[in-house]
Amino acid sequence: MSKSRGLFDEQIRLEKLSKKQDPLEKLSSHIDFEYFRKPLERVLVKDVEKSKGGRPAYDVVLMFKILILQRYYNVSDDAMEYAILDRLSFMRFRSWD
C-alpha cells in the first residue's frame, strides 16, 4: 500500500535538512552561485547543433554545486554519480504515488 504524498511533504523535507545544517544552504546564504554562471558557461558550454537531438546538458551551476559538495564530503566520482542517480530514481519513484 503506497502512502499518498501530502501537500507540504517537500517543504517538511527541506525544513528537516535545514535543521541538520545543510552545508549547501549555508554556502548559498553567503555565495551567489549565479555569479559563476557566465564564467562557467563561457568555459564549459560548447556551441553544439541542437537539431541533432540528444539529451540537454545539466545546468552548469548545478554541476558546480555538485563538485563543491563532492569536495566537502570527500566523495569519489563513482560514489557521487551513484548518489545522484539514487536520488533521481527516488524522486521518480515518489512521483508515482
Side-chain angles (χ1 to χ4, degrees):
M1 180 175 180
S2 67
K3 180 184 170 201
S4 63
R5 280 188 1 184
L7 181 61
F8 299 104
D9 283 356
E10 184 74 12
Q11 181 180 348
I12 291 169
R13 186 181 67 79
L14 292 174
E15 286 173 4
K16 285 181 182 179
L17 284 173
S18 293
K19 286 179 185 176
K20 294 185 181 285
Q21 297 184 349
D22 178 15
L24 192 55
E25 185 177 285
K26 191 185 271 188
L27 281 173
S28 292
S29 69
H30 297 287
I31 299 170
D32 177 18
F33 283 103
E34 286 300 316
Y35 175 80
F36 297 99
R37 181 172 298 283
K38 285 185 181 179
L40 288 168
E41 286 178 343
R42 187 174 51 242
V43 173
L44 299 173
V45 176
K46 310 277 189 286
D47 287 329
V48 179
E49 191 176 325
K50 295 182 180 183
S51 65
K52 291 184 178 180
R55 185 183 188 124
Y58 289 108
D59 180 61
V60 293
V61 175
L62 173 65
M63 294 302 294
F64 184 58
K65 289 177 181 180
I66 289 170
L67 289 172
I68 290 171
L69 289 175
Q70 183 179 10
R71 184 72 165 175
Y72 183 84
Y73 287 111
N74 195 26
V75 176
S76 71
D77 289 344
D78 289 336
M80 184 58 78
E81 181 181 9
Y82 176 82
I84 292 167
L85 292 172
D86 181 54
R87 296 318 177 271
L88 288 174
S89 65
F90 174 75
M91 295 308 288
R92 266 193 304 252
F93 177 73
R94 291 221 25 185
S95 69
W96 292 348
D97 291 341

